[in-house]
Amino acid sequence: MTPFELHVYLDDRKLLVEKHLESLIPSGQKPPQRLNAAIRHSLLGGGGKRLRPILVLASAEAVGGRVADLLPFACAMECIHTYSLIHDDLPAMDDDDLRRGVPTCHKAFDEATAILAGDALLTFAFELASTPIAGRSDGAVLAMIAQLARDAGIHGMVGGQMLDIQGENREITLAELQNIHIHKTGALIRAACLIGATLGGADETAIRHLNRYGEAFGLAFQITDDILDVVGDKRIMGKSPGNDQKKNKASYPALMGLPQARQEARNMVDEAMEALSSFPSAADPLRALASQLLDRTH
Ligand code: GRG
């Protein structure tokens, strides 16, 4: 059997997601031109790994679901993620100039346009997520829309971002930092796996395992993000490292040192792998995604 080639899989899924997003967002020539151009700039102009939509699709595949059926919901996750990046880059938050290798939205356009581009992506995400799915009841889709709203909102990403801002310039414990990571970054990643599994047709046990996979993956992802912020290369990352130190923010390397932070990331990847132990080879993309986290360069 040929070994699973993650880069081939990722290129294919990325293309699928980007083609679908491209077809959904009006051109910058269509009114309101400036808003459409700003959305396209952030969503399509600089790339991005498309990790969250790929996790939706890979989780569905792991339980025998069809990729095409999950594509609109997967793209909804990328819209929410991109909105969060646009708002996170604003002067009132991280005040960044570069994202995904291109100027941030407020730099390429202006602050008001960037706020509106983020707002429009957030609301568009829910329109997309409401696309009916063949073989799934409207009730099942509705439950996942509510799940997405929870994990993107007060009790998920936005709540985590608030805690993150409140943690600046003060000493926080490892437990507090973990709580920030679980909400700010982990919630959307876990939601991607849970939603992909549920709408892919998984039974309750498989949903529980994939939720656990998503939880561990999300934390490993954020720990490796903290590590990249210390050791990463701006040209490869497409954004400036050193943000945590600049903003006097706690991070895994700052709290426990780089070697221990790397060990924590390995532990989380092991947990993610363990959650997949009863899954067939259809879960190989998820396995490969988790193990490559430890070699992340961007
Ligand atoms: C503003 C509501 C609001 C939330 C912001 C996601 C987030 C919360 C902030 C982004 C800042 C940041 C660097 C978070 C750490 C992890 C993270 C989400 C990195 C960016 O995600 P990637 O690496 O980016 O998947 P690409 O560009 O590949 O999509």
Side-chain angles (χ1 to χ4, degrees), residues 42 46-53 78 80-90 93-94 96 99-101 152-153 157-162 164-165 181 183-186 188-189 218 221-222 225-226 228-229 237 239 243-244 249 296 298:
S42 291
K49 295 182 288 296
R50 316 304 185 191
L51 176 64
R52 293 145 192 85
E78 184 64 19
I80 291 194
H81 170 58
T82 303
Y83 120 74
S84 80
L85 299 179
I86 294 174
H87 283 192
D88 185 67
D89 289 334
L90 285 167
M93 296 211 197
D94 263 4
D96 275 317
R99 169 71 67 182
R100 293 175 163 172
M157 182 180 71
V158 175
Q161 175 78 349
M162 187 78 250
D164 192 36
I165 290 170
H181 284 1
H183 289 88
K184 187 181 91 165
T185 315
L188 209 56
I189 288 179
F221 181 82
Q222 182 59 63
D225 209 78
D226 282 5
L228 276 181
D229 196 61
M237 289 164 70
K239 62 177 182 180
N243 235 331
D244 293 337
K249 265 190 200 174
R296 267 186 81 189
H298 65 294

Side-chain angles (χ1 to χ4, degrees), residues 136-197:
R136 303 287 164 255
S137 69
D138 289 347
V141 176
L142 196 58
M144 290 304 103
I145 295 171
Q147 181 75 46
L148 177 60
R150 267 193 303 277
D151 284 322
I154 302 170
H155 303 294
M157 182 180 71
V158 175
Q161 175 78 349
M162 187 78 250
L163 293 176
D164 192 36
I165 290 170
Q166 289 178 305
E168 283 171 20
N169 296 313
R170 77 178 177 88
E171 289 206 355
I172 62 171
T173 63
L174 183 59
E176 283 179 286
L177 178 65
Q178 200 186 61
N179 190 41
I180 292 171
H181 284 1
I182 286 170
H183 289 88
K184 187 181 91 165
T185 315
L188 209 56
I189 288 179
R190 183 184 42 71
C193 301
L194 177 63
I195 291 166

Side-chain angles (χ1 to χ4, degrees), residues 2-21:
T2 44
F4 178 72
E5 293 206 61
L6 182 64
H7 68 99
V8 177
Y9 176 86
L10 289 179
D11 286 350
D12 180 74
R13 292 297 179 263
K14 202 162 146 1
L15 195 67
L16 203 61
V17 167
E18 285 173 356
K19 268 189 165 168
H20 198 63
L21 286 170

Side-chain angles (χ1 to χ4, degrees), residues 104-298:
T104 48
C105 198
H106 65 277
K107 284 284 168 190
F109 294 84
D110 56 74
E111 275 183 53
T113 306
I115 291 167
L116 292 175
D119 292 343
L121 276 167
L122 173 59
T123 44
F124 182 55
F126 285 94
E127 184 183 336
L128 266 183
S130 309
T131 310
I133 296 179
R136 303 287 164 255
S137 69
D138 289 347
V141 176
L142 196 58
M144 290 304 103
I145 295 171
Q147 181 75 46
L148 177 60
R150 267 193 303 277
D151 284 322
I154 302 170
H155 303 294
M157 182 180 71
V158 175
Q161 175 78 349
M162 187 78 250
L163 293 176
D164 192 36
I165 290 170
Q166 289 178 305
E168 283 171 20
N169 296 313
R170 77 178 177 88
E171 289 206 355
I172 62 171
T173 63
L174 183 59
E176 283 179 286
L177 178 65
Q178 200 186 61
N179 190 41
I180 292 171
H181 284 1
I182 286 170
H183 289 88
K184 187 181 91 165
T185 315
L188 209 56
I189 288 179
R190 183 184 42 71
C193 301
L194 177 63
I195 291 166
T198 307
L199 296 178
D203 63 23
E204 270 183 32
T205 311
I207 291 173
R208 212 176 46 248
H209 288 316
L210 285 172
N211 188 55
R212 179 66 203 125
Y213 168 88
E215 238 167 42
F217 187 109
L219 197 49
F221 181 82
Q222 182 59 63
I223 298 172
T224 54
D225 209 78
D226 282 5
I227 295 171
L228 276 181
D229 196 61
V230 179
V231 302
D233 180 328
K234 181 176 176 176
R235 282 163 308 173
I236 303 175
M237 289 164 70
K239 62 177 182 180
S240 305
N243 235 331
D244 293 337
Q245 209 186 5
K246 192 173 79 191
K247 299 208 85 181
N248 204 9
K249 265 190 200 174
S251 70
Y252 269 71
L255 283 188
M256 60 177 64
L258 266 177
Q260 190 54 33
R262 289 198 167 105
Q263 184 54 49
E264 284 297 317
R266 272 195 293 276
N267 294 344
M268 283 301 122
V269 168
D270 288 348
E271 278 199 31
M273 292 297 212
E274 176 59 31
L276 298 178
S277 59
S278 59
F279 283 70
S281 61
D284 282 353
L286 291 177
R287 292 189 179 92
L289 273 162
S291 54
Q292 62 96 48
L293 276 180
L294 300 170
D295 306 318
R296 267 186 81 189
T297 54
H298 65 294

